[in-house]
Structures are given as C-alpha cells and as structure tokens.
Amino acid sequence: MVAPEKDPREEVIQAWYMDDSDEDQRLPHHKDPEEFVSLDQLSELGVLSWRLDADNYETDEELKKIRETRGYSYMDICDVCPEKLPNYEEKIKNFFEEHLHTDEEIRYAVEGSGYFDIRDRNDKWIRIWVKKGGMIVLPAGSYHRFTLDTDNYIKAMRLFVGDPVWTPYNRPQDHLPARKEYVEKVLQKEMSDRTINAAA
Ligand SMILES: CSCCC(=O)/C(O)=C/O
Ligand SMILES: [Fe+2]
C-alpha cells in the first residue's frame, strides 16, 4: 500500500484546536488529547495556504504569480521584534485582541514564525502555526488574532489589493457588511452544503 503523498504545506502550516488555559499566549495551547485541524478543514473556513521559497521571496515566480492572480499589488515587510517594530508592546497586545478586517489578511512568514488564531463556525479557537515559507489568507470578516510563539520573532510580508487598510475592528462587529457576508457565504454555506450532502 502506497502512503498518500504528504502535502508540503503541512511542514510550515499546522493547525489545532486550542485548550482553554490562560497560560502564556505564546505557548502552543494544544488540547489534551491533541486535536489537529487539516488544511482542507481550514479551507472550509475560507483560509487559503501556500508553501513558498522564503529565501528567494524577492524573485520567487510562484509568489509573483499568486500576487498577479489575486491582485495583491501592495507589499511590505513587518518585522515583529522590539528592535524594529515601533510601539512593540502595544502592537503585540493589539494583535492578540480578537478582531476582524473588512479585507483579507494576507501574511507570509519570510523569517520566523507565529500563531494566527481563527474562530471556527462553532466559535471555537483554531490555532494556525505559520512557519518560515508559509503564507496564509484569513478571509475578510473572520474573527481572528495573532501572537508570536516562544521563538518571539516573525518577519512577515503583508500583501493587499490596492492601498492597504490595516484597521482592526475588535469583536463584536456583527453588524458590519464584511462580517455578515463571511457568515452567510462561508460559515452558513458550508453548513448548508453538509446538510444537502447528508440528505443525498
Ligand atoms: C504578523 S503581521 C502582524 C499581525 C497583523 O497585522 C494582524 O492583523 C493580525 O491579526
Ligand atoms: Fe488581523
């Protein structure tokens, strides 16, 4: 029996349901027993993921193609460390406040690693560990947060369509069109698809 080929993305993007402990946010927060979440399950929440060549991100044709295909015309680099990020402590605190954006959150770890936590359709936290070479898209309107892990460093490329808007809207924001659209088109749609498939 031939083992299924391992998805190369899984080496740099792993996800799991979080425990309820209030220990340091930088710890993994696995449940006991551990409950991993697959990349396919993440895609059902609208989360997209790639593995790219981080050592050559400035010339990487695959990244160039993704940017052209998805219209990510804007790019910058966010070095999340005390020496390079102004107002570091305040930013780290704000990143971990549960929030949404009215546009996609596109983040590519070109160095280091970090945790992007996203709510599932039952409002449970899923922790997405993104390591060097991993790029993810969190959908517009999805409740999420970010924290460094215990390695305490990420150099993240931020991409955007057109002029960037980084505004975080801290929960609750259920009145916002971006939130309503995410709930209707992603969270409720997947539930109805499951119901239809179960009835078939
Ligand atoms: C690692 S990029 C900084 C985090 C950020 O911009 C954000 O919105 C997290 O949810
Ligand atoms: Fe965010």
Side-chain angles (χ1 to χ4, degrees):
M1 168 128 157
V2 179
E5 270 189 47
K6 193 164 169 58
D7 186 328
R9 295 178 296 168
E10 290 174 358
E11 286 179 40
V12 293
I13 300 169
Q14 291 141 27
W16 57 82
Y17 276 98
M18 294 182 71
D19 66 9
D20 296 326
S21 93
D22 53 9
E23 282 182 315
D24 181 345
Q25 64 191 55
R26 286 174 166 83
L27 293 170
H29 285 277
H30 274 289
K31 290 173 71 175
D32 182 14
E34 295 174 339
E35 186 177 353
F36 286 95
V37 175
S38 70
L39 298 179
D40 284 346
Q41 287 174 283
L42 289 181
S43 69
E44 288 172 4
L45 292 173
V47 176
L48 308 178
S49 54
W50 295 266
R51 179 178 185 176
L52 297 168
D53 178 6
D55 287 326
N56 297 291
Y57 70 84
E58 290 161 316
T59 57
D60 182 8
E61 285 300 318
E62 188 177 0
L63 173 61
K64 185 165 175 279
K65 189 162 171 230
I66 293 167
R67 291 188 59 184
E68 286 169 357
T69 305
R70 298 185 62 85
Y72 296 154
S73 50
Y74 176 89
M75 181 279 285
D76 72 6
I77 299 284
C78 182
D79 261 309
V80 184
C81 61
E83 303 76 29
K84 294 192 177 173
L85 184 63
N87 308 318
Y88 173 82
E89 290 301 337
E90 182 190 359
K91 291 256 179 70
I92 287 289
K93 184 173 178 295
N94 291 345
F95 289 156
F96 201 58
E97 283 295 324
E98 184 175 0
H99 62 275
L100 64 78
H101 305 284
T102 53
D103 298 275
E104 289 180 330
E105 175 167 310
I106 309 127
R107 301 289 184 271
Y108 173 18
V110 294
E111 287 292 349
S113 53
Y115 294 130
F116 293 84
D117 301 338
I118 187 169
R119 292 284 191 181
D120 80 351
R121 58 181 41 79
N122 298 312
D123 228 22
K124 302 289 184 197
W125 280 121
I126 292 173
R127 174 148 283 190
I128 308 172
W129 194 17
V130 180
K131 294 182 268 188
K132 177 177 177 180
M135 181 164 88
I136 62 167
V137 173
L138 300 181
S142 61
Y143 282 131
H144 66 276
R145 63 191 183 189
F146 171 82
T147 179
L148 292 171
D149 58 28
T150 49
D151 283 353
N152 250 351
Y153 177 64
I154 191 168
K155 180 177 185 167
M157 179 187 290
R158 301 187 301 179
L159 298 172
F160 205 86
V161 177
D163 296 334
V165 175
W166 307 123
T167 314
Y169 292 88
N170 291 349
R171 189 170 188 175
Q173 297 291 344
D174 301 300
H175 63 289
L176 287 179
R179 178 64 191 169
K180 288 181 178 174
E181 189 167 335
Y182 178 65
V183 171
E184 287 159 22
K185 294 196 174 174
V186 179
L187 299 187
Q188 289 175 346
K189 179 183 182 307
E190 208 279 334
M191 295 283 276
S192 62
D193 286 356
R194 279 179 183 214
T195 308
I196 292 164
N197 294 340

